[in-house]
Amino acid sequence: MLNLDTLNPEQRDAVETIRGPVLILAGAGTGKTRVITFRIAHMVERGIAPDHILAVTFTNKAAREMVTRLTAMLPVNPRGMWIGTFHGLCNRMLRAHWKLANLPQTFQILDIQDQLSALKRLYKQFNIDAERFPPKETQWFINSCKEDALRPKDIDPTDADTRKKIEIYDLYEDQCQREGVVDFAELMLRSYELLRDNDPVREHYQRRFRHLLIDEFQDTNRLQYAWIKQLCGAHSAVFAVGDDD
């Protein structure tokens, strides 16, 4: 039996209010992640199937801690739940639907440094002026566009420099597709597009994940928010925890 006596009255109320949607506002050091962990354990104890639960954290460390705590608290293995960072969960989703997402089954993930190296190779191949268009600035431009769910065709070229950056973005996308690689921002965008454009896939996950828990909600960007909305079905209970500071 889960012991909720270690929680203060506000934390306990947050844990026991299972029917959503629920928004919890709490400052730093108030035990937000702990509340999410207890809430998941309480839901499972109340008979909610572990595979109906999806929990998003912002760091791998927080996700690992959550799984470790739940393993100690529950008689069932928490591996049936989807608990992880946005990028980790999107990676898991794309691995399951790689063909629909137009990816090779063994696609590789580029970290920030890998992405920069890939851009520099592109610059060399197409003789792009690295002084006028510094690769790091182009990298920031591409990632910002992706975080706003914008592909090259969706961007309005307001001036010649922007037109050139869009061109580089387009070439970079072609290169990544040829090489079977995705960067961090692409994990999110490709996963969002998979849900947006495939009704059966979206409806499958909406039926499956009846309970969505989001930590550090104030840090979600536009694309992450749109991804969460794609997962929300008519009967979804959303529990968001954030710092209003």
Side-chain angles (χ1 to χ4, degrees):
M1 189 73 180
L2 190 64
N3 180 14
L4 301 181
D5 294 338
T6 57
L7 303 172
N8 65 38
E10 289 81 6
Q11 290 173 333
R12 186 163 183 157
D13 194 25
V15 166
E16 292 182 319
T17 308
I18 288 178
R19 302 204 179 277
V22 177
L23 175 64
I24 302 293
L25 298 178
T30 52
K32 294 193 290 291
T33 306
R34 186 165 177 260
V35 163
I36 289 180
T37 308
F38 265 86
R39 182 182 169 86
I40 292 171
H42 179 65
M43 287 194 301
V44 173
E45 201 171 71
R46 292 283 299 274
I48 291 167
D51 63 353
H52 285 178
I53 297 169
L54 178 141
V56 188
T57 67
F58 264 82
T59 65
N60 288 314
K61 182 171 178 275
R64 280 194 302 269
E65 281 177 9
M66 205 177 280
V67 171
T68 302
R69 286 181 190 175
L70 285 167
T71 302
M73 294 163 88
L74 292 171
V76 296
N77 190 333
R79 300 288 170 188
M81 307 170 198
W82 279 37
I83 298 174
T85 62
F86 279 102
H87 294 114
L89 296 178
C90 287
N91 179 38
R92 186 169 175 174
M93 190 176 285
L94 292 174
R95 297 284 173 195
H97 305 282
W98 55 274
K99 200 172 281 187
L100 276 175
N102 193 26
L103 288 168
Q105 190 170 9
T106 55
F107 69 85
Q108 300 295 307
I109 300 169
L110 303 177
D111 64 21
I112 294 296
Q113 199 52 51
D114 293 332
Q115 184 188 27
L116 192 59
S117 299
L119 274 170
K120 286 177 178 175
R121 278 194 289 113
L122 195 71
Y123 271 54
K124 199 170 180 182
Q125 185 184 349
F126 291 96
N127 296 314
I128 298 165
D129 187 345
E131 285 194 14
R132 186 171 176 190
F133 302 99
K136 277 197 172 180
E137 283 184 19
T138 306
Q139 180 183 33
W140 180 87
F141 172 80
I142 290 170
N143 291 339
S144 295
C145 290
K146 288 187 181 189
E147 285 174 7
D148 283 334
L150 298 172
R151 292 294 185 190
K153 63 180 174 54
D154 305 318
I155 307 162
D156 184 24
T158 50
D159 53 51
D161 280 9
T162 306
R163 190 173 289 109
K164 185 64 180 177
K165 285 177 187 174
I166 295 167
E167 185 189 314
I168 299 168
Y169 180 8
D170 207 15
L171 291 169
Y172 169 73
E173 283 214 313
D174 289 345
Q175 176 177 284
C176 287
Q177 193 65 33
R178 276 196 315 275
E179 296 177 356
V181 296
V182 296
D183 55 50
F184 286 139
E186 184 68 23
L187 280 174
M188 281 283 348
L189 181 52
R190 190 77 64 116
S191 179
Y192 164 71
E193 290 170 341
L194 172 73
L195 292 168
R196 183 195 65 193
D197 301 337
N198 293 273
D199 294 350
V201 175
R202 182 178 65 254
E203 287 160 11
H204 162 75
Y205 285 110
Q206 286 180 350
R207 280 193 307 271
R208 177 173 179 174
F209 297 128
R210 302 294 181 87
H211 295 270
L212 292 90
L213 302 95
I214 304 110
D215 199 7
E216 305 293 357
F217 190 64
Q218 76 284 348
D219 290 335
T220 51
N221 63 34
R222 187 175 166 185
L223 181 57
Q224 289 163 343
Y225 182 72
W227 183 80
I228 291 165
K229 284 188 78 173
Q230 290 293 329
L231 290 172
C232 290
H235 306 291
S236 298
V238 180
F239 180 84
V241 180
D243 185 346
D244 56 342
D245 227 9

